[in-house]
């Protein structure tokens, strides 16, 4: 009786994750995202025009009280881009995963960090245009009266838009549908909106709420805008606020790369 030998079956191995982020892969991803957005004029209009429209409405809501627009307009100049970029980025990233595009991309020599960095680069480029339009409209067309430099307003608005992009990329990993992605907005954005100091100074809040507001990035975005509103020079508080917002955006992008899934099940 002859013995037969069988060859063990080997299962296909998943592609290995690239060990380090690559500028070439990141740039290619950003180029692909921008090319796709070019064929989606409604999304581009949402990202670029909605903050401007909201600022325009706000200016004429307080038409009889220009001082009120001056006091809250700078803060909202940073908040509106954050909210818009959060919403668009979370839905766009989720759509990549539910359509299977993300799984196909990650089967190539493309790491999660490359993908997240590419999305951040693409939406960051749009955020620059968005921030320039909104800041220019508020300061030069709507007459927003600021003591400091308009360029500092632009810097904080850009950091806020990048933070919104980072938050959108992060929460998209936990949503299984576009509807769920939208549902994250009340959970992630609205508490920050209420506690950021826009409606009342943070020291006047209940101590527990003040403590919570001290760890929320939108609070420092509003504080940074208020520093520009009140001071002619760059203050230490402004530098601190800008660095905190930038650090939060970088931290959330890192968490987004760590939690990114290939597909939605």
């Amino acid at each position: 009786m002859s013995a037969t030998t069988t060859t063990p079956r080997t299962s296909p191995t998943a592609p290995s994750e690239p060990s380090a982020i690559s500028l070439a892969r990141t740039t290619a991803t950003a180029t692909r995202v921008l090319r796709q957005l070019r064929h989606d004029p409604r999304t581009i209009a949402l990202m670029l025009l909605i903050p401007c429209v909201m600022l325009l409405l706000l200016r004429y809501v307080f038409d009889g009280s220009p001082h009120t627009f001056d006091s809250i307009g700078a803060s909202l100049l940073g908040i509106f881009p954050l909210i818009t970029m959060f919403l668009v980025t979370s839905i766009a990233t989720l759509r990549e995963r539910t359509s299977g595009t993300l799984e196909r991309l990650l089967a190539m020599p493309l790491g999660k960090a490359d993908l997240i960095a590419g999305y951040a680069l693409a939406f960051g480029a749009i955020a620059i245009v968005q921030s320039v339009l909104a800041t220019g409209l508020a300061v030069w067309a709507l007459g927003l009266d600021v003591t400091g430099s308009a360029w500092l307003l632009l810097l904080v608005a850009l950091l806020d838009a990048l933070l919104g992009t980072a938050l959108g990329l992060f929460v998209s990993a936990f949503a299984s549908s576009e509807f769920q992605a939208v549902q994250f907005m009340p959970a992630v954005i609205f508490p920050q909106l209420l506690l950021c100091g826009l409606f009342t100074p943070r020291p006047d809040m209940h101590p527990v709420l003040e403590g919570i507001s001290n760890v929320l990035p939108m609070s420092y975005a509003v504080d940074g805008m208020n520093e520009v509103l009140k001071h002619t020079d760059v203050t230490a508080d402004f530098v601190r606020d800008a660095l905190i917002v930038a650090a939060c955006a970088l931290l959330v992008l890192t968490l987004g790369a760590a939690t990114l899934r290939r597909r939605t099940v």
Side-chain angles (χ1 to χ4, degrees):
M1 186 173 180
S2 60
T4 58
T5 59
T6 58
T7 303
R9 299 176 62 185
T10 58
S11 58
T13 58
S16 59
E17 182 82 8
S19 57
I21 190 171
S22 165
L23 178 60
R25 293 192 297 260
T26 298
T27 305
T29 301
T31 302
R32 181 186 62 83
V33 173
L34 290 173
R35 190 180 298 118
Q36 289 179 336
L37 287 174
R38 186 181 63 183
H39 301 292
D40 190 357
R42 288 178 295 183
T43 299
I44 294 177
L46 175 66
M47 289 188 289
L48 298 184
L49 299 182
I50 289 300
C52 295
V53 172
M54 297 301 293
L55 286 169
L56 184 65
L57 289 175
L58 184 71
R59 168 63 182 84
Y60 290 104
V61 164
F62 296 108
D63 190 43
S65 179
H67 178 70
T68 303
F69 176 72
D70 291 336
S71 62
I72 67 173
S75 299
L76 292 176
L77 182 60
I79 292 174
F80 287 156
L82 190 155
I83 295 174
T84 304
M85 297 304 292
F86 171 85
L87 184 61
V88 172
T89 306
S90 59
I91 293 177
T93 309
L94 179 65
R95 189 176 298 167
E96 292 271 75
R97 199 169 69 245
T98 55
S99 65
T101 302
L102 185 58
E103 187 175 14
R104 292 192 297 271
L105 288 172
L106 292 179
M108 303 166 60
L110 181 70
K112 293 180 180 180
D114 297 317
L115 189 72
I116 291 293
Y119 268 91
L121 183 61
F123 284 107
I126 297 175
I128 293 175
V129 180
Q130 180 194 72
S131 301
V132 169
L133 290 175
T135 304
L137 175 69
V139 175
W140 291 295
L142 301 181
L144 179 65
D145 186 16
V146 293
T147 303
S149 170
W151 292 106
L152 296 179
L153 280 183
L154 176 60
L155 173 62
V156 180
L158 176 58
L159 290 175
D160 292 343
L162 292 175
L163 176 61
T165 298
L167 289 171
L169 289 170
F170 176 65
V171 303
S172 67
F174 303 98
S176 58
S177 66
E178 293 182 13
F179 179 65
Q180 285 187 4
V182 174
Q183 286 179 313
F184 272 107
M185 193 159 108
V188 176
I189 299 297
F190 286 0
Q192 296 192 67
L193 187 61
L194 292 174
L195 300 178
C196 68
L198 178 64
F199 301 103
T200 186
R202 291 194 288 128
D204 294 343
M205 299 178 184
H206 188 279
V208 174
L209 296 181
E210 183 185 359
I212 295 173
S213 72
N214 288 336
V215 299
L216 297 177
M218 191 183 290
S219 300
Y220 297 95
V222 171
D223 288 349
M225 288 294 192
N226 288 334
E227 287 294 311
V228 180
L229 192 67
K230 299 174 183 176
H231 300 90
T232 55
D233 299 324
V234 178
T235 64
D237 288 340
F238 173 83
V239 175
R240 178 206 63 190
D241 297 333
L243 289 177
I244 289 176
V245 175
C248 287
L250 183 60
L251 174 62
V252 174
L253 283 176
T254 304
L255 293 175
T259 57
L260 184 65
R261 293 179 292 167
R262 292 174 179 269
R263 60 180 177 179
T264 298
V265 294

